[in-house]
Amino acid sequence: MRAQISLDLLFAFVLVTLTMLNLIYLSNSEIAHAESFDVMAKVRVFSAEIVDHTAKVYAVGEGYSLKEEPPQIEDAEFNITFNGAENKIIVNVTVSGKSYWVVKNSTVPIANASIVVESNDTFWIKTVKVGDMLYANITRSNGN
């Protein structure tokens, strides 16, 4: 009888331990998914802001510029590309070896340009005139 109680207690202890380990694994997995979702949400909002601000800069006209700052994401590197040939704005963010891409159509003509910034950097969206055409452009410095 005594051996049966010890065996039952041992079995219960093993079951409780396995359940706790499973819960720890699931919680770690959910935390990783939540962090990834958070970064992707920030990148999507940031790319939408760039598209909106590009249209605003273009609408105001020649010589106007707008200072931008990427969202605060630890260890993030932002590669922002204006593809004038396809009229697309591409935001690629690398965080701890993971890449997050967002490609948006520009609503206004854009010039070909690409910059790389980090979370604490700033950059400018401004208008440039090429020939008789006005384009929105992206640059690291204001240059006015």
Side-chain angles (χ1 to χ4, degrees):
M1 181 72 163
R2 194 170 193 176
Q4 183 65 34
I5 293 175
S6 295
L7 189 59
D8 288 344
L9 286 175
L10 181 62
F11 185 66
F13 178 74
V14 168
L15 283 177
V16 168
T17 303
L18 286 175
T19 303
M20 293 303 293
L21 288 175
N22 242 352
L23 289 174
I24 291 170
Y25 172 77
L26 286 173
S27 66
N28 284 340
S29 177
E30 288 301 315
I31 288 171
H33 288 298
E35 288 172 350
S36 181
F37 182 78
D38 179 54
V39 169
M40 191 61 204
K42 287 179 181 178
V43 171
R44 284 178 163 265
V45 168
F46 177 60
S47 64
E49 285 178 358
I50 290 177
V51 171
D52 290 345
H53 293 170
T54 300
K56 179 181 179 181
V57 166
Y58 183 82
V60 171
E62 185 177 2
Y64 185 72
S65 59
L66 190 61
K67 187 177 184 179
E68 294 288 335
E69 187 174 308
Q72 296 297 315
I73 302 172
E74 190 173 330
D75 298 328
E77 182 178 85
F78 296 81
N79 186 347
I80 305 160
T81 303
F82 278 21
N83 183 341
E86 296 179 13
N87 217 37
K88 296 202 182 290
I89 296 173
I90 303 163
V91 178
N92 174 20
V93 180
T94 305
V95 181
S96 302
K98 292 182 182 177
S99 285
Y100 302 88
W101 288 82
V102 176
V103 178
K104 298 257 188 192
N105 291 324
S106 176
T107 56
V108 297
I110 56 176
N112 289 326
S114 183
I115 61 168
V116 177
V117 293
E118 298 196 6
S119 287
N120 55 354
D121 293 338
T122 58
F123 61 95
W124 293 84
I125 298 174
K126 61 184 189 174
T127 54
V128 293
K129 194 166 190 173
V130 179
D132 290 335
M133 285 291 296
L134 191 62
Y135 295 94
N137 194 12
I138 193 167
T139 182
R140 298 257 324 175
S141 63
N142 190 4
N144 286 339

